[in-house]
Amino acid sequence: MTARYAVFGHPVVHSLSPRIHAAFGTQLGIAMQYAAIDAAPGDFANALGAFAASGGLGANVTLPHKERALALCTEASDRARRAGAANTLSRLNGQWHGDNTDGAGLVHDLTERRRLDLRGRRVLMLGAGGAARGVSPALLDAGIGELWVVNRTAERADALADALGEPGRVHTRYWADLGNLGAFDMIVNATSAGRSGGIELPFSLAGNRSLAVDLSYGEAAVSFMAWASAAGCEHRFDGIGMLVEQAAESFALWHGKRPDTDPVFASLSARADSLQTAD
Ligand code: ATR
């Protein structure tokens, strides 16, 4: 029987993960099925159980199930526990083991593909939800100098800072104070605001050497990327690179080999370019 893998989300119909994993499998000659399974929040545990019963060996988990996925795991990696969420599940001895490859995916994209040095950077994290929690530990581990967490709801920023447990490097500020924080070397948009009209940000956050990264891609990243361009940020990336790299990390966990991500990244980027230039 062909090994079975899947991504669970809600909605999940637009997920690029099936296409990415199929490309990795072809590249490395690994036969497998990779499906997209839509499960409403109340049905996720049952759907995952049914998948395991039918021989499912591994699952990616996306919005809105990442926290619940961690809770359903018998064991979890340190980075999944620190993120409070799992995006990669592996079936071992009849139980789910949880991991989180989002942060490693982001850092790999920035340091390996883009050849950027993150060490010592003054970093602004916009947002304190699941996406921010997923990547913050990896950024700290990559050696950034300071992490300033600013969220519309201040309590969530404080909760993230507490969970990160590095009071010397991690600070929080109110959203209303964004104009008074000076310029950052790196600005990460981890809000979901781009899915509902975008956010307004002061240009004073950006210096001319700044790196701006949106964890979203496609339409959801358009407004932040436009702001970063208008603000004069030197480097501007949406989340396609992170998406491909987190998939490669998951693939390596399941199959023991890390694929070459360049061809898949190139094909997804070309597609995004053609969509953006299409009339
Ligand atoms: P995700 O897993 O994508 O991070 P989430 O956990 O729902 O999803 O978090 C969404 C994040 O986007 C939160 O930080 C949210 O701020 P609140 O905690 O105040 O809700 C942020 N967000 C969503 N819409 C926003 C907007 N219009 N302006 C600023 N922040 C916004």
Side-chain angles (χ1 to χ4, degrees), residues 83-186:
N87 78 334
T88 307
L89 308 182
S90 304
R91 194 79 182 159
L92 298 170
N93 302 321
Q95 295 172 327
W96 288 117
H97 290 234
D99 202 343
N100 193 318
T101 64
D102 283 336
L106 175 65
V107 169
H108 201 97
D109 181 49
L110 296 176
T111 60
E112 304 291 326
R113 184 190 313 288
R114 326 287 187 175
R115 301 269 164 217
L116 294 167
D117 190 350
L118 303 184
R119 287 172 300 175
R121 287 191 187 237
R122 183 170 191 254
V123 179
L124 174 64
M125 179 66 61
L126 296 165
R133 274 212 312 274
V135 302
S136 292
L139 291 175
L140 290 167
D141 290 350
I144 62 167
E146 299 172 4
L147 183 68
W148 294 75
V149 183
V150 179
N151 193 49
R152 189 177 57 177
T153 308
E155 293 75 23
R156 283 183 100 186
D158 291 335
L160 172 54
D162 286 349
L164 291 170
E166 291 208 38
R169 277 202 292 171
V170 180
H171 315 281
T172 60
R173 286 293 181 272
Y174 292 117
W175 192 272
D177 291 335
L178 277 172
N180 308 322
L181 301 182
F184 290 85
D185 306 313
M186 173 170 170

Side-chain angles (χ1 to χ4, degrees), residues 2-145:
T2 314
R4 298 190 60 203
Y5 297 84
V7 55
F8 287 79
H10 185 68
V12 80
V13 65
H14 298 297
S15 171
L16 295 172
S17 292
R19 182 175 157 180
I20 295 172
H21 280 268
F24 290 164
T26 303
Q27 179 193 115
L28 290 171
I30 294 172
M32 51 146 192
Q33 286 176 10
Y34 189 107
I37 300 179
D38 195 303
D43 295 335
F44 173 60
N46 281 341
L48 188 65
F51 177 65
S54 71
L57 295 179
N60 283 129
V61 182
T62 186
L63 294 176
H65 302 311
K66 290 184 187 182
E67 284 89 353
R68 183 83 182 108
L70 180 67
L72 293 171
C73 289
T74 316
E75 281 181 33
S77 66
D78 274 356
R79 57 190 185 177
R81 266 193 239 102
R82 279 170 84 195
N87 78 334
T88 307
L89 308 182
S90 304
R91 194 79 182 159
L92 298 170
N93 302 321
Q95 295 172 327
W96 288 117
H97 290 234
D99 202 343
N100 193 318
T101 64
D102 283 336
L106 175 65
V107 169
H108 201 97
D109 181 49
L110 296 176
T111 60
E112 304 291 326
R113 184 190 313 288
R114 326 287 187 175
R115 301 269 164 217
L116 294 167
D117 190 350
L118 303 184
R119 287 172 300 175
R121 287 191 187 237
R122 183 170 191 254
V123 179
L124 174 64
M125 179 66 61
L126 296 165
R133 274 212 312 274
V135 302
S136 292
L139 291 175
L140 290 167
D141 290 350
I144 62 167

Side-chain angles (χ1 to χ4, degrees), residues 183-250:
F184 290 85
D185 306 313
M186 173 170 170
I187 303 156
V188 182
N189 181 26
T191 75
S192 55
R195 287 180 235 144
S196 56
I199 36 177
E200 302 221 340
L201 297 168
F203 286 148
S204 57
L205 294 171
N208 57 5
R209 308 292 313 276
S210 298
L211 155 66
V213 192
D214 201 320
L215 303 188
S216 301
Y217 55 87
E219 279 295 307
V222 167
S223 83
F224 180 69
M225 290 292 96
W227 172 83
S229 173
C233 294
E234 183 181 12
H235 302 286
R236 305 179 297 277
F237 306 119
D238 71 6
I240 282 284
M242 169 177 157
L243 177 78
V244 176
E245 296 304 331
Q246 63 79 28
E249 299 280 326
S250 298

